[in-house]
Amino acid sequence: MKPSLQVKSIQVQKIRYVWNIYAKQFQKVGVLEDHHTCSAIHAKFGSGLTCNEQNVRRVICGPNTIDVPVIPIWKLLIKEVLNPFYVFQLFSVCLWFAEDYMEYATAIIIMSLLSIFLTVYDLRQQSIKLHRLVESHNNIMVSVCRNKEGFQELESHHLVPGDMLVLKEGKTLLPCDAILISGQCIVNESMLTGESIPVTKTHLPQADNFKPWRMHCAEDYKKHVLFCGTEVIQTKADDRGVVKAVVLRTGFNTAKGDLVRSILYPKPMNFKLYRDALRFLMCLVAFAAIGMIYTVCVFALNGEEAGEVVKKALDVITIAVPPALPAALTTGIIYTQRRLKKKGIFCISPQRINMCGQLNLICFDKTGTLTEDGLDLWGLLPSERNCFQDIHSFPADHSLPWGPVFRAMAVCHSLIVWQGKIQGDPLDVKMFEATNWVIDDSSGHQIEGQGSTHATVVRPGPKASSVPVEGVTILHQFPFSSALQRMSVIAQEIGGEQQVFTKGAPEMIAMLCRAETVPSNFENKLLLYAAQGFRVIGLACKSLPAGKQPTDLTREEVESDLTFLGLLIMENRLKRETKPVLEELSAARIRSVMVTGDNIQTAVTVAKNAGMISPMNRVILVEANQIPGSFSASITWKPLEENKTEDYRSLEDDSQTKRRIRLALESGQYHFAMTGKSYQIVTQHFRHLLPKLLLNGTVFARMSPGQKSSLVEEFQKLDYFVGMCGDGANDCGALKVAHAGISLSEQEASVASPFTSRTPSIVCVPELIREGRAALVTSFCMFKYMALYSTIQYLGVLLLYWQLNSFGNYQFLFQDLAITTVIGVTMSFTGAYPKLVPYRPPSQLVSPPLLLSVVLNILFSLSMQIFGFLVVQEQPWYSKTNIHSACLSMNNHMENYSSVSSLGLHGMRDGALEQTDNGYKSYENTTVWLLSTINCLIVALVFSKGKPFRQPIYTNYVFILVLIGQLGICLFLVFADIDDLYSKMDLVCTPTMWRISMVIMLAVTLAVSFLVEEAVIENRPLWLLLKKTFRYHSKSHYKRLQRVLEQDSAWPPLNETFFSDSVAISVERNMGGHSNPTFDSNEDSL
């Protein structure tokens, strides 16, 4: 009888954890155990799992699917409708229906339904898009090797970690992550990285040491891993026959699963504006509560029935809290999104648009972002008998002479022919094209004593100069590794001997060469070219003894005792737009930082050419090193000297230079540059120095994807608002972590970043900041306007409640629908101001200028309404009971009215004249309503901010026309004397003089309000003076640090070395952040 298999498991964010009874803890399943050594993987899984083992694993790990169900519409609807805001709207609408306020209630229902429909539609589309992105990989037929049972075909969702996959010829999609254990593959990883360059994968070596396989391969373990969701273009079997891979991770544990999870569960965005919005609404609710108490007292004391009192009291809440606020805020964001779309910037997370208005530090990737994507071959510096020869420039008239350097350029690459084109790293492509040779990629080639294998042959092309060989066969590749900073191939001339060719970072290549073959002025030449911003690559070779199988040699054996061949010099040009954009950002006081995988010297030069570092400023190189054999580390500060001389002396020793450096440092004009390695050591050993280094750090070179994410997070800890602009590929993690990630790639990998730009240049960065600032200011204007509109209406209603009166339904409707809704929709049409000013809009609603503006305007409205309310009662024609007394003297219809006037106000209430009056008509009502309605227009005009963040208000034609139209209608209502219209609107006739006095009151309010807004609220020098007087300092961490460092004369400590005494803090392998597991920065690690 089979024992029953029972396990306790939980699922967190799609990852399954199983209770381990021995370790007494939950343990992640769906991943091959990490402790296996290389040889153990070959031995244990090399012949496949048995059926029984596979069944047990399947029960525990679950199916191998990345299952993102499309969320049903009813679920989305319920989630959206239960939003507290819509619940409040529902309450308002029910109350309005109870009070027969049908029209506005219907309007709000239509607006809310539209808003809910749009949101649900948007979420549903995103859900479908994500579902489609993953479903294609869930069911693929695969061949699996079973222990003792041979091969069998099965559906990919049955795969478990440890299964042995057999990869067939031709294209296949990978349904899981797997370790290649025999043969070689070429994979297209663009789905995950955005890079369309095919990547070569080699099999896991059979090393017999005790290190786990991942430790053994260090950073290069990815060269042996095939990732889920990528496409195998080509497989090359070795002499063991088939290409095999062991399943490493399944389901959501895979690289693709990780990307999908990062979309499903994004990092929560904590933005002050949304927190403030809630606080703001809470204040309005508190404000409304006071009104409710007042209402209950007034009506209860006057003996109204309980039901009426409750209705009136609840009405106050719906007046004080504007139900149209969220709709108005959303429209602002939608318009901005539309404007961005026109400029070729797409946004998948609209709530981040407001955040762009706060950005004050932008991290740029270098290659493909600041500089052109491709490299141009600039020159070749060959070396013979440890001396550099004359430089060979490209494009040259005469072709390269045949020799070892030529052979290295022809074979030392990982290019393939795919779809009739040569594909691979752009650097390799340029180098190979310079030789005018071609790749002959026909399958088997007979090589003596080896049988048939799949090898690549390069031959002279039609344009090539004549050479003594018919071609060269590439027998074996050791692909480029960013940890080793090099790649090698074993090649053989047809009919000749086997040779090794290596290319990579020049410093690295020189270390692997025999010392006597490296020119003595090697370092000077290297610095000379690197300092001019060239990308320099070293070439080397050696002959192999005959009779050895290329596949049996280890990388260490192959890459040793080489002969140095020379330097290949590539030019990486700045994009045309780079310099002006960086100058614009710097003028707007937005910091630019470069984060790249390239050489530090090249990165510093590019930063200088691009204007990130001005010619007057010093660059200080921060170097941190682990002290061998101990747990401590050292850190050194060295000035990077700019010598234009040929021999690169590191520092001129004369006292004048020292004095010049000191001066530059004291004025704060210095920049730190450091490498990824130093950054890692600083985060582990010198945690306390990190903020100080980041405050002036401008160039971060040789950074791995994980370090890029970590750097962005460290900047955020200093209270910077960080934007990240990269080309998608190895920046996925950083793009996700930043407040605003802008990806310059059209690839689907841009699902990882909130913004994607169509045009692959950094022009989109200032554009986005401008639009973000405009959107933020629009949000604030909207808040202020909505707050005031509801307060004006609330004050008016409370004044009238004093006389047991209120506004009529049509009066409410006119204010709510004809005025506010239209203004709310058109106010946000104003575009962004084209110039970036050197300060940002306020980030919070509760900033003093904003609160002062709201409070003062409330006071102006209150005083005007009370003034109108009291003064109208003092007029000689005023009568509390006879609402026609004012116009009687001018009217000849005295007889018609006598009967009406005798009934008085309360008579009407009792229903005697139900058809003509509903009891709202009074002089106070007419006065207060007309004043408050036009006051709403005044406020809308005063609050519509133009410069410096938005274009002047007169450029928003729609809004201006709407305001003029509304003002026209309001003035018509003031001066018109049409009985039908007045009775419909519950207005009464007043003498012309009183109407003119009302207009004068409004004009005075407009003038005062406008003056205060311009002279006080918008007066930046005044607020700066107040800050200075009250010694108010910014609470941002980085500002505090700046103030501390200004006082510290010993910082930065030049030419000094510090040692850490403490034991290192262990930092997670991928250093936090969401790192894209497939991508290893080979973009520019040479």
Side-chain angles (χ1 to χ4, degrees):
M1 204 176 92
K2 270 173 83 179
S4 68
L5 184 67
Q6 283 189 322
V7 283
K8 284 183 188 165
S9 72
I10 54 169
Q11 197 172 349
V12 182
Q13 292 193 348
K14 305 275 187 192
I15 298 278
R16 190 188 279 202
Y17 295 86
V18 168
W19 181 254
N20 181 337
I21 44 180
Y22 305 111
K24 295 273 186 287
Q25 62 179 27
F26 279 104
Q27 181 174 320
K28 185 157 128 178
V29 291
V31 181
L32 200 63
E33 298 79 8
D34 266 344
H35 57 75
H36 295 299
T37 61
C38 295
S39 49
I41 286 180
H42 280 279
K44 189 172 178 186
F45 304 109
S47 48
L49 300 173
T50 61
C51 266
N52 200 22
E53 283 173 320
Q54 211 223 9
N55 290 336
V56 171
R57 283 179 180 241
R58 196 175 301 159
V59 171
I60 292 175
C61 301
N64 168 35
T65 51
I66 299 174
D67 195 21
V68 182
V70 177
I71 307 168
I73 290 179
W74 64 268
K75 259 192 190 168
L76 289 170
L77 267 174
I78 288 175
K79 202 172 166 189
E80 193 59 28
V81 170
L82 290 182
N83 178 336
F85 188 72
Y86 288 120
V87 174
F88 172 68
Q89 280 201 337
L90 187 70
F91 155 75
S92 306
V93 167
C94 293
L95 183 69
W96 292 333
F97 274 127
E99 294 183 336
D100 279 350
Y101 184 30
M102 303 284 185
E103 295 86 347
Y104 189 56
T106 316
I108 284 284
I109 288 177
I110 293 170
M111 274 166 64
S112 300
L113 285 177
L114 198 68
S115 166
I116 289 174
F117 168 74
L118 283 173
T119 315
V120 168
Y121 175 75
D122 209 34
L123 289 169
R124 173 86 177 177
Q125 287 307 99
Q126 277 186 14
S127 180
I128 291 173
K129 191 174 172 186
L130 199 56
H131 177 74
R132 287 204 183 125
L133 191 73
V134 295
E135 80 179 327
S136 56
H137 299 189
N138 284 344
N139 263 335
I140 301 167
M141 292 306 289
V142 288
S143 282
V144 177
C145 179
R146 283 265 170 275
N147 202 343
K148 305 191 185 73
E149 293 176 29
F151 301 112
Q152 78 180 67
E153 292 269 323
L154 57 101
E155 287 185 344
S156 64
H157 63 88
H158 293 309
L159 289 174
V160 294
D163 259 336
M164 163 67 72
L165 273 181
V166 178
L167 297 171
K168 301 204 181 74
E169 277 282 311
K171 287 188 183 183
T172 32
L173 274 175
L174 285 165
C176 58
D177 288 3
I179 312 170
L180 197 60
I181 60 167
S182 77
Q184 189 180 336
C185 285
I186 290 169
V187 187
N188 174 12
E189 293 188 342
S190 65
M191 173 3 253
L192 290 173
T193 62
E195 292 264 307
S196 49
I197 298 166
V199 186
T200 306
K201 303 280 183 179
T202 54
H203 64 79
L204 190 72
Q206 283 192 329
D208 285 329
N209 57 9
F210 299 108
K211 277 189 186 169
W213 70 278
R214 208 170 257 187
M215 300 277 288
H216 172 75
C217 303
E219 281 183 30
D220 285 330
Y221 75 91
K222 292 175 183 166
K223 295 287 167 222
H224 313 302
V225 179
L226 305 169
F227 291 102
C228 174
T230 60
E231 186 180 33
V232 177
I233 305 167
Q234 206 180 64
T235 55
K236 292 184 183 177
D238 52 17
D239 41 11
R240 278 169 286 185
V242 281
V243 180
K244 293 184 193 164
V246 172
V247 175
L248 171 65
R249 292 180 283 247
T250 56
F252 276 97
N253 295 295
T254 59
K256 181 156 189 185
D258 203 44
L259 186 68
V260 173
R261 280 175 57 232
S262 72
I263 300 166
L264 287 175
Y265 309 105
K267 180 181 159 204
M269 275 300 12
N270 190 5
F271 192 41
K272 290 195 193 116
L273 181 69
Y274 298 105
R275 283 206 313 270
D276 286 351
L278 279 173
R279 285 184 195 151
F280 171 81
L281 286 173
M282 287 301 116
C283 293
L284 287 180
V285 169
F287 199 39
I290 300 166
M292 279 177 76
I293 297 165
Y294 160 85
T295 309
V296 171
C297 297
V298 170
F299 280 98
L301 291 174
N302 279 292
E304 282 279 343
E305 38 186 283
E308 279 298 310
V309 176
V310 171
K311 259 198 230 168
K312 291 267 190 270
L314 290 176
D315 219 4
V316 173
I317 291 192
T318 66
I319 291 169
V321 183
L325 180 63
L329 285 179
T330 320
T331 50
I333 293 289
I334 288 171
Y335 294 145
T336 310
Q337 212 175 338
R338 229 194 270 149
R339 282 200 293 270
L340 285 172
K341 203 167 181 178
K342 275 187 192 156
K343 289 170 181 164
I345 301 169
F346 297 92
C347 167
I348 58 166
S349 127
Q351 67 274 22
R352 295 211 193 202
I353 291 178
N354 278 339
M355 287 204 129
C356 296
Q358 284 296 309
L359 297 180
N360 54 0
L361 183 146
I362 314 281
C363 297
F364 291 101
D365 176 41
K366 183 180 78 72
T367 308
T369 305
L370 298 174
T371 59
E372 293 290 355
D373 223 342
L375 291 154
D376 292 318
L377 202 54
W378 183 82
L380 173 69
L381 198 61
S383 161
E384 273 176 44
R385 295 182 302 283
N386 82 4
C387 280
F388 281 119
Q389 308 299 305
D390 292 342
I391 190 157
H392 181 98
S393 298
F394 295 95
D397 311 326
H398 56 287
S399 53
L400 277 170
W402 172 251
V405 178
F406 188 98
R407 285 198 291 277
M409 287 174 66
V411 297
C412 194
H413 52 70
S414 53
L415 301 174
I416 61 159
V417 175
W418 181 40
Q419 296 176 344
K421 268 174 71 184
I422 293 180
Q423 299 266 4
D425 190 317
L427 183 149
D428 286 356
V429 175
K430 279 280 191 293
M431 177 183 79
F432 182 68
E433 281 174 353
T435 62
N436 286 327
W437 278 37
V438 291
I439 297 177
D440 172 14
D441 205 21
S442 49
S443 301
H445 290 283
Q446 293 297 321
I447 294 154
E448 295 107 69
Q450 282 187 34
S452 167
T453 67
H454 191 118
T456 305
V457 174
V458 289
R459 303 180 188 278
K463 292 186 191 163
S465 50
S466 61
V467 289
V469 293
E470 75 175 275
V472 183
T473 310
I474 301 170
L475 303 177
H476 189 67
Q477 272 186 27
F478 295 100
F480 174 82
S481 140
S482 48
L484 302 174
Q485 296 178 13
R486 60 181 181 268
M487 71 158 292
S488 299
V489 295
I490 299 173
Q492 180 177 24
E493 286 179 23
I494 294 177
E497 59 166 2
Q498 291 184 10
Q499 277 185 309
V500 175
F501 293 98
T502 303
K503 80 169 195 301
E507 311 93 327
M508 208 70 209
I509 298 291
M511 278 161 55
L512 301 172
C513 291
R514 301 199 308 281
E516 65 272 18
T517 66
V518 180
S520 52
N521 61 345
F522 167 78
E523 290 201 343
N524 292 343
K525 283 282 185 196
L526 177 58
L527 271 171
L528 177 73
Y529 289 113
Q532 291 172 47
F534 289 117
R535 179 112 156 246
V536 186
I537 288 146
L539 299 171
C541 75
K542 79 166 176 186
S543 294
L544 282 181
K548 267 214 154 182
Q549 283 279 60
T551 45
D552 295 343
L553 293 166
T554 64
R555 192 159 190 165
E556 289 71 35
E557 287 175 88
V558 170
E559 295 172 344
S560 59
D561 298 328
L562 301 167
T563 304
F564 185 75
L565 292 178
L567 297 175
L568 200 59
I569 299 157
M570 319 280 287
E571 189 177 23
N572 194 193
R573 298 197 183 106
L574 274 185
K575 287 187 179 170
R576 217 182 43 247
E577 312 82 14
T578 298
K579 204 168 178 182
V581 167
L582 292 178
E583 278 166 1
E584 183 179 9
L585 290 178
S586 126
R589 289 229 186 114
I590 295 168
R591 241 184 96 181
S592 303
V593 170
M594 186 192 292
V595 191
T596 174
D598 207 344
N599 168 302
I600 191 156
Q601 192 75 45
T602 311
V604 168
T605 310
V606 170
K608 284 185 171 172
N609 295 344
M612 266 188 193
I613 299 173
S614 81
M616 305 307 296
N617 295 359
R618 316 293 314 159
V619 178
I620 299 167
L621 189 62
V622 179
E623 270 185 10
N625 290 301
Q626 197 88 31
I627 297 167
S630 75
F631 281 119
S632 62
S634 66
I635 184 168
T636 318
W637 284 262
K638 298 180 192 158
L640 210 65
E641 258 311 312
E642 276 299 278
N643 293 11
K644 293 287 176 278
T645 50
E646 181 86 10
D647 63 83
Y648 239 82
R649 296 198 307 276
S650 178
L651 248 182
E652 314 147 40
D653 272 331
D654 55 351
S655 55
Q656 196 181 354
T657 313
K658 292 234 167 85
R659 211 168 61 241
R660 203 173 78 237
I661 294 172
R662 257 291 144 226
L663 267 171
L665 298 183
E666 278 160 18
S667 59
Q669 297 170 327
Y670 57 90
H671 298 264
F672 292 129
M674 61 163 88
T675 59
K677 182 177 124 247
S678 301
Y679 173 76
Q680 188 93 17
I681 292 169
V682 169
T683 50
Q684 288 174 350
H685 295 271
F686 301 98
R687 200 74 213 167
H688 60 290
L689 289 176
L690 189 60
K692 293 183 182 180
L693 291 171
L694 293 184
L695 203 60
N696 284 75
T698 303
V699 176
F700 296 86
R702 292 266 186 262
M703 298 286 275
S704 71
Q707 287 167 344
K708 287 185 181 184
S709 311
S710 154
L711 178 73
V712 169
E713 286 184 321
E714 291 299 335
F715 273 129
Q716 287 171 331
K717 284 180 196 165
L718 290 180
D719 296 335
Y720 278 109
F721 278 87
V722 187
M724 170 80 201
C725 180
D727 52 4
N730 49 345
D731 309 316
C732 264
L735 289 170
K736 241 189 154 28
V737 177
H739 289 109
I742 311 155
S743 138
L744 305 181
S745 85
E746 268 290 77
Q747 291 288 343
E748 203 42 69
S750 58
V751 286
S753 87
F755 300 96
T756 309
S757 167
R758 258 281 160 75
T759 45
S761 82
I762 60 170
V763 174
C764 59
V765 175
E767 204 52 77
L768 193 59
I769 294 173
R770 276 194 283 271
E771 287 295 352
R773 286 178 171 188
L776 195 57
V777 171
T778 304
S779 299
F780 288 149
C781 293
M782 216 66 242
F783 264 113
K784 282 166 67 173
Y785 174 69
M786 284 294 177
L788 260 136
Y789 138 74
S790 45
T791 312
I792 289 169
Q793 203 178 53
Y794 166 83
L795 294 173
V797 170
L798 292 191
L799 271 177
L800 295 178
Y801 273 2
W802 186 250
Q803 293 196 327
L804 305 186
N805 196 344
S806 180
F807 288 160
N809 277 357
Y810 281 109
Q811 292 179 330
F812 273 129
L813 189 66
F814 185 80
Q815 278 190 358
D816 291 344
L817 208 58
I819 303 275
T820 304
T821 309
V822 180
I823 285 178
V825 171
T826 55
M827 200 181 201
S828 343
F829 279 154
T830 316
Y833 194 62
K835 185 178 182 299
L836 277 178
V837 286
Y839 50 92
R840 299 174 296 160
S843 64
Q844 43 196 38
L845 267 173
V846 284
S847 59
L850 217 133
L851 286 178
L852 185 67
S853 169
V854 169
V855 169
L856 287 177
N857 275 290
I858 287 177
L859 290 177
F860 299 151
S861 298
L862 182 64
S863 37
M864 179 176 69
Q865 290 192 22
I866 292 178
F867 182 75
F869 183 78
L870 295 175
V871 171
V872 74
Q873 296 176 358
E874 302 303 316
Q875 296 305 313
W877 41 262
Y878 171 81
S879 153
K880 197 167 186 172
T881 51
N882 179 2
I883 54 168
H884 302 290
S885 57
C887 297
L888 281 184
S889 47
M890 314 165 207
N891 241 315
N892 305 325
H893 306 301
M894 204 180 280
E895 304 81 37
N896 307 5
Y897 285 120
S898 55
S899 56
V900 179
S901 51
S902 63
L903 278 165
L905 186 66
H906 290 285
M908 294 175 195
R909 270 280 165 93
D910 300 333
L913 272 172
E914 201 69 5
Q915 68 282 9
T916 62
D917 197 353
N918 50 14
Y920 291 125
K921 291 182 180 172
S922 73
Y923 290 122
E924 289 91 345
N925 171 300
T926 301
T927 304
V928 169
W929 185 78
L930 287 170
L931 288 177
S932 64
T933 306
I934 300 179
N935 197 357
C936 287
L937 298 180
I938 290 174
V939 167
L941 182 67
V942 171
F943 283 169
S944 291
K945 293 284 185 321
K947 288 195 286 193
F949 301 113
R950 303 201 304 167
Q951 286 181 344
I953 191 63
Y954 54 77
T955 58
N956 185 349
Y957 309 118
V958 184
F959 180 62
I960 292 295
L961 287 173
V962 161
L963 274 186
I964 292 171
Q966 291 173 332
L967 185 65
I969 296 171
C970 291
L971 289 175
F972 175 71
L973 285 175
V974 173
F975 289 106
D977 218 347
I978 305 162
D979 288 345
D980 289 351
L981 179 68
Y982 267 34
S983 68
K984 201 76 173 148
M985 292 298 296
D986 297 313
L987 296 174
V988 293
C989 171
T990 54
T992 313
M993 259 333 281
W994 179 243
R995 302 178 196 201
I996 292 169
S997 336
M998 283 199 289
V999 173
I1000 291 169
M1001 279 188 247
L1002 287 161
V1004 170
T1005 309
L1006 171 65
V1008 173
S1009 180
F1010 195 76
L1011 264 171
V1012 167
E1013 194 75 15
E1014 288 303 311
V1016 180
I1017 310 298
E1018 290 295 301
N1019 187 343
R1020 192 172 151 77
L1022 174 72
W1023 288 101
L1024 290 176
L1025 185 72
L1026 285 171
K1027 273 185 182 177
K1028 217 171 181 179
T1029 317
F1030 291 107
R1031 298 236 171 99
Y1032 171 81
H1033 290 304
S1034 164
K1035 292 191 180 68
S1036 296
H1037 194 131
Y1038 72 95
K1039 290 269 196 201
R1040 289 209 301 267
L1041 199 58
Q1042 262 168 356
R1043 291 195 291 273
V1044 171
L1045 290 184
E1046 275 166 17
Q1047 312 303 317
D1048 185 357
S1049 58
W1051 181 264
L1054 269 191
N1055 297 321
E1056 287 182 37
T1057 304
F1058 292 0
F1059 294 94
S1060 72
D1061 37 36
S1062 60
V1063 177
I1065 314 158
S1066 84
V1067 176
E1068 280 297 301
R1069 188 174 49 80
N1070 68 354
M1071 300 196 62
H1074 162 81
S1075 70
N1076 181 346
T1078 60
F1079 198 83
D1080 196 351
S1081 165
N1082 95 10
E1083 56 131 2
D1084 42 20
S1085 290
L1086 279 176

